Amino acid sequence: MENRLFEAGFFYAVNNLSGLSGSLLKWGRLCFLVIRGGLMRTIPVRAGYLANLPMLLSMMLAALWVWYTGNTAESTALFLGIIAGGLVDLDDGFTGRLRNLFFTLIHFSLAATAVQWTFGHPLAFSLLMVWAAFSMTMMGAVDVRYRTIAFGTLLVMLYTVLTYSPLLPWYTNPIMLVCGTSLFSLCTLVLHLLFPNRPVQDNLAGSFARLADYMLVKAQFFDPDEVDLLAERELELAMKNTAVINGFNQCRTALFYRLRRQHRQRSIGMLLQYYLTAQNIHERISSRHVDYAALAHKLAHSDLIYRIQRLIVLQAQACRQMSECLQEDKPYAFNLMLLRAGEGVQQAVTRYCAEHGSDDDLPGLQQLTANILAINEQLLWLEQVKNNSKEQNIGDLQIAGLDVDRIRDILPALKTHFTFQSNVLRHAVRLAILTAVTCVVVESFHLKMGYWILLTGVIVCQPNYSATTARLKQRIVGTLLGVVVGSALPYFVPTLSGRLIIVVVSTVLFFAFRVRRYSFSTFFITVQVLVGFAIIGMDTQSAMLSRFTDTILGSVLAWCAVSYLWPDWRYLTLGRIAGRALSSDGVYLRQVAQQLQNGLSDDVVYRSARRNAHKLAVTLSNTVADMSMEPKRYGQHLAEGKTLLQLNYVLLSCISALGAIRAQVDRLRPQLTPEQVQYWMTIAGSLAELMEQKPDSALFQTKWEALAELLKVSRPLPDDDVVEKVLWRQLHQIHVQLPLYRQALRADAGAGRIAAQ
């Protein structure tokens, strides 16, 4: 809608100013839309191309200005301003981008001006930088927007120091930095007008690709020859689940900023339907209805297990196809092979049930196949969304809010982090001390370009040890290679135009690799810096030595800071995170229980509970992954961490299975008495209450034993409905897993006490 308003306003202004006829105005607007539509089909639509296009355009325009005017002295600040603009860019709607740009320019202007005024006064400048390092890091605890702008502001302060020249007026560097940021933002706004929903589409494509990877791993659970490797597959599946949830979070953020408009476009409604369908597929494929090892042994000589595996593989291929269709902006076509494979599975399971009618595991097998067959319905719906997606049908769909704008919301968010148990506060204090030490070293030894040390330290120093050491190694290697190449290039390219081309290309490549390959991005930014120094007439040989030694010093200081200043292994939060994950699983189960009682409703409250449970599971998975990188330091916790991760994933899978059968319970509601529904809801609610209790609660054992008796007497009879049998089986499985989870929590706490001693 914002794009339509922009277009309408633009053409209305043109019509009033130049007196164009109404027909010409319509033709102009039509041409604009045709060009935009044509671009979406002719430009390669890989996400990386479009994401790097604003950086390429803004750097080219800046280089042309420097070449045409000959203002080389200001070029470094201008280029760094463009880089800063790229680092703080956030995907948002048109008005949201304007708002972010407004606040970004204010922060950048004030920060750069403060540095210009205090630089040359060691005490004032050091206090300013120490305060900025602490406050900007703490502001990042509020939300992603605050964290991004705050970090960009800190970088701009360092950029101002590095481009400081006593020969230039004090306002030159702040103006050029702001101009560079504005230029990049302008290019981004133009790209947004041409491709307003492209980021959502690319994020969705990535989510479906990750979902396909997840399903391929899940298909391996139905291989009777690999039963002994199921424990390893559980951990691998948990890690794949982390990637899926991260992809969903990116989609949710991009969708939220577009759905908060008063008037929603039909295209964004279609993408929202894709997102919700992907979530439904994930909930079904992540469900756990059977003991996979037992099922593999029972079906080892039956074709049923291989049919199930083949169907899941075909569904994974369909998700991969959907990802490719989103990337290439093509319609998705449902593969009829899925229907034939589904019919084969249905016939095979019907025959197996007829031959093994007395098997107690049949209800779980029936529900498993019904759940997998329901994924076919979701994939078929993906083909129909484009035709059935109407604005009036999506108006009620919501995504939970992300923004934190009000002071009354900001202050509580910050208040919770003012404790050394908070990783944010520890990192903020660590950066402040690192900044103070660097300022003292630079001023004491009068290092001409010494603040490269601080820039390296701020960028390399991460909240945890593993991430810092990984980035440190890549930074040193990339800088060393960049110094060698960057110092030699000015001799081979003596002209201004040639050097500007190198600066443009190296900056774009730095921007392209900054997330995927940090060593590559460091290499290209080092080349850019050294060639940029050659443009302003600086001796690259002296800059080469300074750049490399400062990188080494900054990396060493960052390593010392993260190793000796409140190191993360002293504040290992594995048990706390696992406890929070269990509690969020309980909230998710409670939402499922309420829907068992009140009826199916895929509303924002239910989806938020499901997302939070998966979010904590991802946090637990990331913690275990970080611990795996440092087995010597975390040896006391690593085994318990993997156990907790596996148990949490089993619990989450059982709850997802209950969530997946909500529709079936809804259809059976007329056959179930209110007493029956209330009975199952009471058991589920009691289990959720146990999951939300503290690990050391003395009442756990008593309540758990009471629930054991309740489950024992409520076991369905052979003639009861399959859904009731599945309900009992899943609740019983959750009940069995809870003591194991609490035992793992106690084992981790014991290991933590031993490590502390």
Side-chain angles (χ1 to χ4, degrees), residues 173-186:
N173 278 346
I175 289 177
M176 298 311 294
L177 286 165
V178 168
C179 286
T181 302
S182 302
L183 180 59
F184 176 86
S185 300
L186 179 62

Side-chain angles (χ1 to χ4, degrees), residues 173-361:
N173 278 346
I175 289 177
M176 298 311 294
L177 286 165
V178 168
C179 286
T181 302
S182 302
L183 180 59
F184 176 86
S185 300
L186 179 62
C187 294
T188 305
L189 288 171
V190 172
L191 187 70
H192 176 81
L193 290 174
L194 291 173
F195 309 99
N197 297 326
R198 190 66 214 181
V200 184
Q201 207 164 320
D202 291 330
N203 288 330
L204 274 172
S207 295
F208 274 101
R210 295 183 181 101
L211 188 57
D213 294 337
Y214 179 90
M215 297 176 79
L216 288 175
V217 176
K218 188 63 177 282
Q220 297 175 21
F221 281 64
F222 300 93
D223 188 343
D225 298 329
E226 301 292 329
V227 176
D228 296 335
L229 300 177
L230 282 181
E232 297 178 11
R233 294 285 183 267
E234 288 276 8
L235 288 175
E236 184 181 359
L237 198 63
M239 295 299 179
K240 293 293 183 182
N241 186 66
T242 298
V244 173
I245 299 304
N246 288 335
F248 283 165
N249 288 337
Q250 292 175 358
C251 291
R252 172 175 168 267
T253 302
L255 282 166
F256 169 75
Y257 287 129
R258 288 160 177 80
L259 288 171
R260 64 182 179 181
R261 305 169 185 168
Q262 184 177 2
H263 302 284
R264 300 176 181 178
Q265 298 178 6
R266 180 178 176 180
S267 58
I268 200 63
M270 181 180 67
L271 295 175
L272 174 61
Q273 295 281 12
Y274 289 155
Y275 168 71
L276 296 178
T277 303
Q279 282 194 323
N280 290 335
I281 293 174
H282 177 253
E283 184 172 50
R284 291 188 177 280
I285 195 61
S286 63
S287 301
R288 185 186 185 94
H289 295 90
V290 296
D291 183 332
Y292 295 113
L295 180 70
H297 285 301
K298 284 186 177 181
L299 302 181
H301 304 292
S302 169
D303 72 335
L304 175 57
I305 192 169
Y306 294 104
R307 287 182 179 273
I308 294 174
Q309 183 185 57
R310 176 173 177 267
L311 179 56
I312 296 176
V313 170
L314 289 174
Q315 291 170 344
Q317 292 173 355
C319 288
R320 182 79 62 185
Q321 178 189 352
M322 182 64 189
S323 172
E324 294 171 355
C325 290
L326 286 168
Q327 286 182 338
E328 299 171 6
D329 201 37
K330 295 179 180 179
Y332 167 76
F334 181 78
N335 189 349
L336 294 180
M337 188 183 294
L338 284 165
L339 290 180
R340 294 191 291 271
E343 291 173 358
V345 169
Q346 186 63 60
Q347 293 170 1
V349 75
T350 301
R351 181 174 180 177
Y352 183 86
C353 291
E355 295 175 353
H356 304 80
S358 60
D359 193 341
D360 292 338
D361 293 331

Side-chain angles (χ1 to χ4, degrees), residues 582-624:
L582 181 61
S583 179
S584 67
D585 292 344
V587 175
Y588 181 18
L589 177 59
R590 193 179 297 279
Q591 284 298 317
V592 173
Q594 290 180 2
Q595 297 209 7
L596 294 176
Q597 183 180 34
N598 302 326
L600 175 66
S601 176
D602 195 21
D603 54 13
V604 67
V605 178
Y606 173 80
R607 285 187 278 111
S608 295
R610 180 176 64 189
R611 185 186 68 252
N612 289 334
H614 281 285
K615 180 181 177 181
L616 266 297
V618 168
T619 303
L620 180 61
S621 176
N622 290 337
T623 303
V624 174

Side-chain angles (χ1 to χ4, degrees), residues 386-500:
K386 196 164 188 177
N387 297 325
N388 298 335
S389 177
K390 296 182 180 179
E391 189 169 349
Q392 60 267 30
N393 294 336
I394 67 166
D396 295 333
L397 295 177
Q398 301 176 14
I399 291 181
L402 295 171
D403 282 349
V404 179
D405 290 325
R406 297 173 297 183
I407 294 180
R408 65 181 183 181
D409 295 330
I410 294 174
L411 294 180
L414 289 175
K415 186 178 179 180
T416 59
H417 289 280
F418 276 95
T419 169
F420 270 93
Q421 296 301 318
S422 168
N423 198 23
V424 177
L425 179 67
R426 296 200 304 273
H427 189 54
V429 176
R430 190 181 296 131
L431 276 186
I433 295 175
L434 174 63
T435 302
V437 171
T438 304
C439 290
V440 170
V441 170
V442 172
E443 296 298 335
S444 299
F445 294 95
H446 304 289
L447 301 178
K448 183 179 180 181
M449 301 182 65
Y451 285 102
W452 284 113
I453 301 173
L454 181 56
L455 179 64
T456 300
V458 167
I459 293 176
V460 169
C461 189
Q462 299 295 300
N464 64 74
Y465 180 86
S466 301
T468 300
T469 52
R471 178 163 286 204
L472 182 150
K473 296 173 184 176
Q474 297 177 57
R475 182 85 179 182
I476 292 176
V477 172
T479 301
L480 176 60
L481 295 176
V483 162
V484 173
V485 175
S487 60
L489 279 176
Y491 292 100
F492 294 100
V493 186
T495 63
L496 176 61
S497 58
R499 292 176 178 179
L500 287 172

Side-chain angles (χ1 to χ4, degrees), residues 6 14 45 60 91 111 232 308-309 336 390 406-407 453 483 536 539 561 609 635 637 645 686 689 711 721:
F6 178 85
V14 172
V45 291
M60 287 176 61
D91 178 41
E232 297 178 11
I308 294 174
Q309 183 185 57
L336 294 180
K390 296 182 180 179
R406 297 173 297 183
I407 294 180
I453 301 173
V483 162
I536 63 176
D539 182 13
H637 297 272
L645 179 62
S686 299
E689 184 179 350
L711 285 167
D721 190 87

Side-chain angles (χ1 to χ4, degrees), residues 105-155:
L105 294 181
I106 289 179
H107 282 80
F108 284 10
S109 301
L110 294 176
T113 302
V115 169
Q116 283 285 146
W117 284 355
T118 58
F119 194 69
H121 305 280
L123 180 59
F125 175 75
S126 299
L127 291 175
L128 173 68
M129 294 305 298
V130 169
W131 175 83
F134 176 81
S135 60
M136 295 302 171
T137 306
M138 289 301 299
M139 287 302 295
V142 179
D143 65 10
V144 175
R145 183 156 52 91
Y146 282 84
R147 179 164 60 250
T148 303
I149 295 177
F151 182 71
T153 302
L154 184 59
L155 285 182

